Amino acid sequence: MLVQDREDGGPNSPKGPKPSRERSSIPLSVSSRAPTRFTGAKNLDFSTWVSENIYKILTIFLLISTIAIFFYLRSAAGDTTTLLCLQSTQTHSIRPEFPKINWNNIPAISDKSTPYANFRSEKWIVVSVSDYPSDSLRKLGRIKGWQVLAIGNSRTPKDWSLKGTIFLSLEMQAKLGFRVVDYLPYDSYVRKTVGYLFAIQHGAKKILDVDDRGDVIDDDIGKHFDVELIGEGARQEVILQYSHDNPNRTVVNPYIHFGQRSVWPRGLPLENVGEIGHEEFYTEIFGGRQFIQQGISNGLPDVDSVFYFTRKSGLEAFDIRFDEHAPKVALPQGMMVPINSFNTIFHSSAFWGLMLPVSVSTMASDVLRGYWAQRLLWEIGGYVVVYPPTIHRHDRIEGYPFSEEKDLHVNVGRLLKFLVAWRSGKHRLFEKILELSYAMAEEGFWTERDVKFTAAWLQDLLAVGYMQPRLMSLELDRPRASIGHGDRKEFVPQKLPSIHLGVEEIGTVNYEIANLIKWRKNFGNVVLIIFCSGPVERTALEWRLLYGRIFKTVIILSDEKNVDLAVEKGNVDYIYRYAPKLFDRYTSAEGFLFLHDDTILNYWNLLQADKSKLWIANKVSKSWHAVPVAGKSDWFAKQADVVKKVVATMPVHLQVNYKESMKSDDTLTICSSEIFYVPRRFVSDFVDLVNLVGNLDMHHKVAVPVFFTAMDSPQNFDSVLNSMIYKTKPPGNLTTFYSAEAPAIHPWKVSSEQEFIKLIRVMAAGDPLLMELV
């Protein structure tokens, strides 16, 4: 890889006289170089002729040799990349001196020069500043629980300040006593390395690496990021992981997973740009060791200069959006992804990976750091996870020239192959880190300066109290475990509007695909739970085929469990009892929609519904009605007594809601409950109510209206289901009964593939793409 020389050289760059580019020959006068008819005859002796024309002979010889070498390399490699690689290797493949470090004798470094000596915080945001505080930086400073640390450089205004933000000027950085300061250029964002050490010195457990041009979405870093990996705040859930089925696959484009196939991140080898197909299947991994978390950025994502200048449409700013509902995805050992420095969380186990190289161009520094850190992360059993959009970056900057990224484009593919193949016999992590930095200098990926810089960085980490993680055995050299059919997890990414050659895409030219994307975007984080009362062998796959295109997932419950069809056991009379388990399984879901298989859902008519409210057919008299208890069977009396017991034990806010809605104890509200929706904000109340019922014999048709009126006032329910078509018995001709304008249809029974095909054909009036299924 070529390494860009810095123009200013920095305070520690080697200095010396530049080689002269002037020619040493003396200009001849016209009379001395223009022959005339009066010039005497020349001596034709061969030795004399050679001596007089020696410079011309040597020049021609060198020219011929150069051309021969060029065509030899061209034929060997097929393009000029070989020539560039050879130049890089010849220039930088050296035998640098290996630093000698006494790991057991590194004196501690404490903060004795700043006003923050006694300040401690576990969560830090580190940002480089070259101008006065931006609006985005001011917003960062208002995020609760996170301390912003701004690192200045030679371009930062002398009077820079922002309330609540710790600012380290060049002068303050020089007094901290860190070894790395001696290697850092004065005018570069890589001075953030000082900030990382300062944060670790002052108690950091998590560091968000950002720039000052991005707005955190909803001002909530933890909305998508897993800020906590252990303890009560941790999300105990499995994570999708790219398949290791192809051992030759070393890098992936994560933007495809999040809906943008024609966009690629800075640092992706250009030869991989054309790989736009989605994953055939994924596997799963348990969360907990995702020590580096890379967030996607909306607006202006992390793209390289090739994309920026070839996809830019005039002066119009980029505003590229990614699928915020797509699940996060992990990288297995042997596979990497570009990592940047403006939307990434590093956990303490990966703090050693924060070092930004100093001998490469600034636009390559963070990406090379990311690949270097990912390889070392495997040594401690950690991995990288890529997250949905966490930041929105505005396209208000000029694109960087291609020359600023040459350290990426020239040979990043070779770097990936080198890192995957690299092995070390060292027994401590820091020794492996130093050995890898040395090997990368030998291979020409950076210079000896970064070897020394790595040594200084590791010593500074130990000096501020950082404990290096323990090593874990690698599995790279072991035969890969075969991936069984049950281990394969499917996720089909959306294809969102993008930018391609200056032309805006909509996914396809027909509007049906655009509608499907719209529906998926609206319900892509809603879990659909269907109870099947009929034979699941004939209908389970069909329901998933129909609704799985729209919702986050489709869970099927039935009286009988069927492992092969992933059908779970449930009792329709007490279906609410299974809800807490399903809520816990999908903690990031936006809401849960319950549906009986005798009710058809026209999802295209639900787009206007408020997903933060409760949905139920309380205005449909045949579904929701009050029954006088007196004079009815013992079943109604027993159910009314159970309701009284449950209401008496309700917390005050639930009991007040219920009694305001139910004015009389002489009636019992019955709801057939074929369809209802519980948003995320009511999940805890729903679970509490289920626990209050406990083992009491409360029927589902009684429990659901009790729960709903306790959770919220009926006047606050969304009215979307009020216009559903509801009859107690199906008519003879279902075709005339169906309406594509209604949000739901009841009853409509499907018990065979033929009946399912009939249903699909009538539903195609609202979703024409359904005809593709039949």
Side-chain angles (χ1 to χ4, degrees):
M1 179 178 297
L2 287 175
V3 179
Q4 179 173 348
D5 297 327
R6 300 186 180 280
E7 294 181 0
D8 58 0
N12 299 283
S13 61
K15 297 181 179 179
K18 295 183 179 180
S20 173
R21 298 190 180 186
E22 297 179 357
R23 299 188 57 172
S24 58
S25 58
I26 302 175
L28 299 177
S29 63
V30 175
S31 61
S32 65
R33 65 174 188 254
T36 68
R37 58 193 178 105
F38 298 104
T39 303
K42 290 189 176 182
N43 192 335
L44 297 179
D45 181 67
F46 181 76
S47 61
T48 303
W49 179 85
V50 169
S51 62
E52 290 180 354
N53 295 276
I54 186 64
Y55 293 108
K56 295 180 181 179
I57 295 173
L58 289 175
T59 300
I60 294 172
F61 177 77
L62 290 173
L63 180 61
I64 293 173
S65 300
T66 301
I67 294 173
I69 292 173
F70 176 81
F71 280 103
Y72 170 77
L73 291 175
R74 185 179 181 90
S75 63
D79 54 31
T80 58
T81 304
T82 306
L83 182 60
L84 291 171
C85 295
L86 181 63
Q87 179 188 8
S88 173
T89 304
Q90 289 176 340
T91 304
H92 299 293
S93 288
I94 56 175
R95 294 292 297 181
E97 182 181 354
F98 195 90
K100 297 180 180 179
I101 302 175
N102 185 354
W103 298 104
N104 299 318
N105 188 26
I106 298 176
I109 298 177
S110 57
D111 183 3
K112 299 179 181 179
S113 60
T114 75
Y116 315 107
N118 296 321
F119 178 80
R120 294 291 183 274
S121 179
E122 291 191 353
K123 294 183 287 188
W124 290 74
I125 299 173
V126 180
V127 59
S128 172
V129 293
S130 299
D131 204 344
Y132 288 108
S134 63
D135 291 339
S136 296
L137 185 56
R138 296 180 191 278
K139 293 178 182 178
L140 283 175
R142 292 194 290 266
I143 296 178
K144 294 181 179 180
W146 291 79
Q147 176 59 52
V148 176
L149 173 61
I151 306 301
N153 55 58
S154 59
R155 294 175 290 167
T156 310
K158 299 296 183 182
D159 58 344
W160 197 99
S161 66
L162 179 61
K163 185 178 180 180
T165 296
I166 296 177
F167 172 63
L168 296 181
S169 64
L170 284 176
E171 293 76 13
M172 296 177 71
Q173 296 171 38
K175 296 177 182 179
L176 292 172
F178 298 147
R179 297 169 179 82
V180 296
V181 174
D182 294 336
Y183 299 90
L184 297 170
Y186 287 120
D187 63 346
S188 173
Y189 81 95
V190 302
R191 297 195 71 86
K192 291 171 76 173
T193 302
V194 175
Y196 306 141
L197 289 170
F198 183 88
I200 297 168
Q201 185 184 53
H202 290 78
K205 301 298 182 185
K206 298 103 181 172
I207 293 178
L208 175 60
D209 201 15
V210 297
D211 67 1
D212 62 349
R213 297 190 295 267
D215 297 338
V216 175
I217 296 175
D218 295 332
D219 297 323
D220 184 3
I221 295 174
K223 181 176 181 179
H224 289 300
F225 278 132
D226 287 328
V227 176
E228 302 296 335
L229 298 182
I230 57 176
E232 295 182 359
R235 298 171 183 168
Q236 301 298 330
E237 59 185 5
V238 295
I239 301 174
L240 284 185
Q241 179 178 251
Y242 285 103
S243 166
H244 61 259
D245 194 49
N246 181 0
N248 297 319
R249 191 183 187 193
T250 59
V251 66
V252 295
N253 178 1
Y255 291 175
I256 299 173
H257 178 85
F258 294 97
Q260 293 289 358
R261 296 193 296 175
S262 61
V263 187
W264 65 88
R266 178 171 54 96
L268 185 77
L270 294 180
E271 58 264 30
N272 296 98
V273 167
E275 300 171 2
I276 61 173
H278 67 77
E279 300 301 303
E280 180 181 354
F281 63 89
Y282 297 79
T283 57
E284 288 183 334
I285 191 171
F286 286 104
R289 301 189 68 85
Q290 42 180 311
F291 300 145
I292 299 179
Q293 300 172 358
Q294 175 66 69
I296 300 293
S297 299
N298 278 335
L300 175 62
D302 184 22
V303 294
D304 60 26
S305 59
V306 176
F307 180 90
Y308 193 89
F309 288 111
T310 60
R311 287 357 185 223
K312 192 74 168 178
S313 179
L315 299 177
E316 184 179 354
F318 277 132
D319 188 12
I320 300 173
R321 303 301 176 101
F322 294 86
D323 181 8
E324 63 179 9
H325 300 302
K328 56 194 172 188
V329 59
L331 280 297
Q333 287 187 2
M335 194 177 298
M336 298 188 185
V337 68
I339 293 176
N340 58 54
S341 63
F342 55 74
N343 191 12
T344 312
I345 285 185
F346 286 76
H347 290 261
S348 58
S349 295
F351 278 173
W352 44 265
L354 283 161
M355 182 195 80
L356 288 163
V358 296
S359 66
V360 297
S361 60
T362 55
M363 293 305 294
S365 181
D366 57 341
V367 176
L368 262 65
R369 173 188 73 175
Y371 286 135
W372 169 82
Q374 283 178 86
R375 175 58 187 87
L376 291 164
L377 202 60
W378 303 341
E379 302 285 339
I380 60 173
Y383 52 86
V384 172
V385 171
V386 185
Y387 282 76
T390 55
I391 279 180
H392 188 284
R393 297 178 77 239
H394 301 281
D395 184 10
R396 298 170 181 162
I397 59 174
E398 295 182 2
Y400 290 94
F402 181 85
S403 60
E404 282 291 313
E405 297 175 353
K406 67 177 183 179
D407 294 333
L408 295 178
H409 299 302
V410 170
N411 214 12
V412 69
R414 187 172 71 93
L415 171 64
L416 289 166
K417 294 178 181 178
F418 164 78
L419 290 172
V420 171
W422 177 80
R423 299 293 183 272
S424 171
K426 300 294 184 181
H427 300 293
R428 290 197 295 182
L429 177 62
F430 279 17
E431 293 176 351
K432 286 179 179 285
I433 293 175
L434 191 58
E435 185 177 50
L436 177 56
S437 291
Y438 181 85
M440 288 180 64
E442 284 187 307
E443 293 294 324
F445 297 117
W446 56 38
T447 72
E448 184 178 12
R449 184 176 179 78
D450 271 315
V451 180
K452 297 177 180 178
F453 183 55
T454 303
W457 163 253
L458 296 176
Q459 292 177 83
D460 282 341
L461 282 175
L462 296 175
V464 298
Y466 181 74
M467 301 293 292
Q468 57 179 310
R470 293 183 178 180
L471 298 174
M472 296 184 67
S473 59
L474 284 177
E475 300 180 357
L476 290 175
D477 296 321
R478 300 177 184 176
R480 295 290 181 94
S482 59
I483 302 174
H485 181 74
D487 299 324
R488 301 186 176 202
K489 305 299 176 182
E490 183 179 353
F491 171 74
V492 179
Q494 297 190 46
K495 191 185 178 202
L496 301 179
S498 181
I499 302 293
H500 184 70
L501 296 177
V503 179
E504 189 170 346
E505 300 175 339
I506 61 168
T508 187
V509 293
N510 68 56
Y511 74 97
E512 291 94 343
I513 291 292
N515 281 337
L516 183 61
I517 292 174
K518 180 170 60 177
W519 300 331
R520 175 70 185 183
K521 184 177 182 180
N522 192 70
F523 296 110
N525 200 25
V526 173
V527 174
L528 179 64
I529 302 166
I530 301 179
F531 185 87
C532 286
S533 56
V536 294
E537 295 81 5
R538 299 178 182 178
T539 59
L541 294 178
E542 283 79 1
W543 291 127
R544 287 200 174 93
L545 183 65
L546 173 59
Y547 294 123
R549 304 151 55 249
I550 308 299
F551 294 92
K552 178 183 182 73
T553 191
V554 177
I555 299 173
I556 296 181
L557 303 177
S558 182
D559 291 328
E560 297 294 333
K561 182 178 181 179
N562 189 313
V563 177
D564 294 335
L565 296 175
V567 175
E568 304 177 36
K569 183 176 176 57
N571 188 328
V572 67
D573 293 337
Y574 307 98
I575 198 68
Y576 61 90
R577 293 179 177 175
Y578 301 91
K581 179 179 69 174
L582 302 178
F583 293 160
D584 288 340
R585 190 184 303 173
Y586 298 95
T587 56
S588 62
E590 193 175 6
F592 299 82
L593 183 60
F594 292 77
L595 188 69
H596 199 278
D597 67 341
D598 63 354
T599 302
I600 304 305
L601 189 67
N602 289 343
Y603 39 83
W604 53 87
N605 292 322
L606 303 178
L607 291 177
Q608 304 305 318
D610 188 343
K611 296 198 295 297
S612 67
K613 292 184 177 182
L614 295 165
W615 308 351
I616 198 164
N618 62 307
K619 299 295 185 181
V620 180
S621 60
K622 294 180 181 179
S623 172
W624 178 299
H625 54 279
V627 179
V629 177
K632 292 291 183 179
S633 65
D634 289 342
W635 184 87
F636 288 90
K638 290 179 180 179
Q639 289 295 306
D641 288 338
V642 172
V643 170
K644 291 178 182 179
K645 291 179 182 179
V646 172
V647 172
T649 60
M650 286 181 181
V652 59
H653 67 288
L654 297 177
Q655 188 176 127
V656 169
N657 284 341
Y658 176 81
K659 290 185 175 180
E660 285 182 353
S661 302
M662 301 298 180
K663 302 296 183 182
S664 174
D665 293 335
D666 298 330
T667 59
L668 184 67
T669 301
I670 302 294
C671 177
S672 297
S673 308
E674 286 86 5
I675 177 173
F676 60 92
Y677 171 81
V678 180
R680 166 59 55 188
R681 69 188 184 99
F682 287 112
V683 161
S684 60
D685 286 341
F686 197 101
V687 172
D688 290 342
L689 289 164
V690 172
N691 293 334
L692 289 177
V693 174
N695 295 324
L696 296 175
D697 187 15
M698 180 182 283
H699 196 276
H700 181 66
K701 293 184 178 181
V702 176
V704 170
V706 169
F707 290 2
F708 268 59
T709 52
M711 289 188 292
D712 202 3
S713 172
Q715 65 184 8
N716 294 329
F717 296 172
D718 194 282
S719 61
V720 64
L721 297 178
N722 291 349
S723 58
M724 71 175 289
I725 296 176
Y726 193 99
K727 297 186 180 297
T728 54
K729 294 182 180 180
N733 189 348
L734 289 177
T735 304
T736 59
F737 173 53
Y738 178 83
S739 171
E741 306 301 321
I745 313 294
H746 173 85
W748 190 300
K749 197 65 176 176
V750 175
S751 58
S752 66
E753 184 176 355
Q754 290 73 21
E755 292 176 350
F756 179 78
I757 292 174
K758 291 180 181 179
L759 171 65
I760 290 297
R761 285 175 176 166
V762 296
M763 289 184 69
D767 182 2
L769 278 178
L770 287 175
M771 291 303 295
E772 299 293 330
L773 302 180
V774 295

